[in-house]
């Protein structure tokens, strides 16, 4: 089945270029275009795309607010955001809003296609290590573990949710938050890699997390790990 993609950017030429790249692929189908975040949310409600390719900087409703609204109103859709700089506040806030990854606007076509496919499969399109670099740089924007207001996190509530995890699941979440791959977790914990994947899947199911990126952010917001 084709991956159905909604293109969101205030620059028409960029939408045209992305559409041409997608139409050349047998497993990609651009299903619509929007020039701002509000229109993107409305189109997503109607079209139910698999992936939304979302610019973060747009007039009116920006990509961060649009991502937050879209994932709340169209929960089966995933968001891949486009940004100009890799380690900037926009990328950080987009991940906190629920995006499954971010991509530079000047990425090569093959990188764009690979990222869309990864996100459509339920994976993250940014590594835990890059996520950690972002969080280390912008951690001052996160609520503390005892803060239950502001910033989009619920601090103490997140810390309470950790209690549903077993000791092993907590170890796997901690290792993931530190940027370890499944292979590295396998070596560090003395577990087979499929067992690590099973534990990580249980962690995300219990905590209601979409992917590894959201797991890393959760671990920061609940105070399980911190900068550095």
């Amino acid at each position: 089945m084709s991956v159905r993609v909604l293109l969101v950017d205030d620059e028409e030429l960029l939408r045209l270029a992305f559409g041409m790249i997608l139409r050349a692929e047998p497993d990609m189908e651009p299903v619509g275009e929007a020039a701002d975040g509000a229109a993107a949310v409305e189109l997503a409600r109607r079209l139910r795309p698999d992936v939304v390719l979302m610019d973060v900087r747009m007039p009116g409703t920006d990509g961060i607010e649009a991502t937050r609204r879209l994932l709340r109103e169209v929960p089966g859709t995933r968001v891949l955001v486009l940004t100009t700089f890799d380690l900037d506040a926009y990328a950080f806030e987009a991940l906190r809003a629920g995006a499954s990854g971010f991509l530079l606007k000047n990425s090569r076509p093959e990188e764009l296609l690979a990222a869309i496919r990864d996100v459509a499969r339920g994976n993250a399109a940014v590594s835990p290590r890059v996520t950690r670099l972002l969080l280390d740089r912008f951690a001052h924007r996160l609520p503390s573990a005892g803060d239950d207001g502001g910033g989009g996190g619920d601090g103490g509530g997140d810390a309470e949710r950790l209690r549903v995890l077993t000791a092993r699941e907590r170890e796997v979440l901690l290792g993931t938050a530190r940027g370890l791959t499944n292979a590295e977790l396998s070596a560090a914990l003395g577990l087979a890699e499929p067992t690590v994947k099973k534990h990580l899947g249980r962690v995300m199911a219990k905590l209601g997390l979409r992917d590894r990126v959201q797991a890393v952010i959760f671990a920061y917001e609940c105070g399980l790990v911190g900068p550095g």
Side-chain angles (χ1 to χ4, degrees):
M1 294 178 64
S2 295
V3 178
R4 304 174 73 253
V5 184
L6 175 62
L7 304 172
V8 185
D9 198 292
D10 60 333
E11 295 186 37
E12 186 175 359
L13 282 177
L14 273 179
R15 298 199 308 271
L16 178 63
F18 290 139
M20 291 176 63
I21 292 170
L22 298 184
R23 289 186 185 93
E25 299 298 308
D27 63 337
M28 296 281 176
E29 180 187 359
V31 294
E33 297 182 10
D36 63 76
V41 175
E42 182 59 36
L43 272 178
R45 285 198 206 104
R46 181 158 49 88
L47 299 174
R48 302 281 166 169
D50 301 307
V51 177
V52 177
L53 194 60
M54 178 86 74
D55 186 16
V56 289
R57 306 189 191 197
M58 295 180 290
T61 303
D62 65 17
I64 297 167
E65 177 59 25
T67 294
R68 191 175 292 115
R69 287 174 50 191
L70 193 153
L71 294 177
R72 183 173 62 244
E73 298 176 29
V74 194
T77 295
R78 292 177 177 269
V79 176
L80 177 62
V81 297
L82 294 165
T83 184
T84 305
F85 305 103
D86 53 357
L87 294 180
D88 70 357
Y90 284 92
F92 169 79
E93 293 295 348
L95 293 180
R96 284 199 70 203
S100 293
F102 68 90
L103 198 66
L104 295 180
K105 284 193 173 185
N106 62 357
S107 297
R108 298 189 302 273
E110 57 268 28
E111 293 174 330
L112 170 69
L113 295 169
I116 292 173
R117 291 182 179 113
D118 279 344
V119 168
R121 285 193 292 262
N123 300 321
V126 56
S127 73
R129 283 191 175 89
V130 172
T131 306
R132 279 219 61 179
L133 288 173
L134 274 172
L135 288 165
D136 283 349
R137 180 169 294 188
F138 299 107
H140 62 280
R141 294 172 179 250
L142 292 172
S144 67
D147 179 12
D148 61 0
D154 66 355
D158 282 343
E160 286 294 313
R161 288 165 65 195
L162 283 173
R163 295 185 179 182
V164 304
L165 302 181
T166 66
R168 181 63 82 187
E169 288 165 352
R170 190 177 175 120
E171 285 180 324
V172 169
L173 174 59
L174 179 60
T176 300
R178 288 173 172 164
L180 299 182
T181 65
N182 285 346
E184 290 167 338
L185 279 168
S186 172
L189 300 177
L191 299 173
E193 195 167 338
T195 304
V196 170
K197 291 179 181 179
K198 185 179 296 184
H199 282 307
L200 184 56
R202 287 174 179 163
V203 168
M204 292 192 285
K206 286 182 177 181
L207 299 178
L209 305 172
R210 282 180 293 279
D211 50 48
R212 296 175 79 100
V213 167
Q214 300 307 312
V216 175
I217 292 173
F218 174 87
Y220 268 74
E221 289 189 325
C222 73
L224 185 61
V225 293

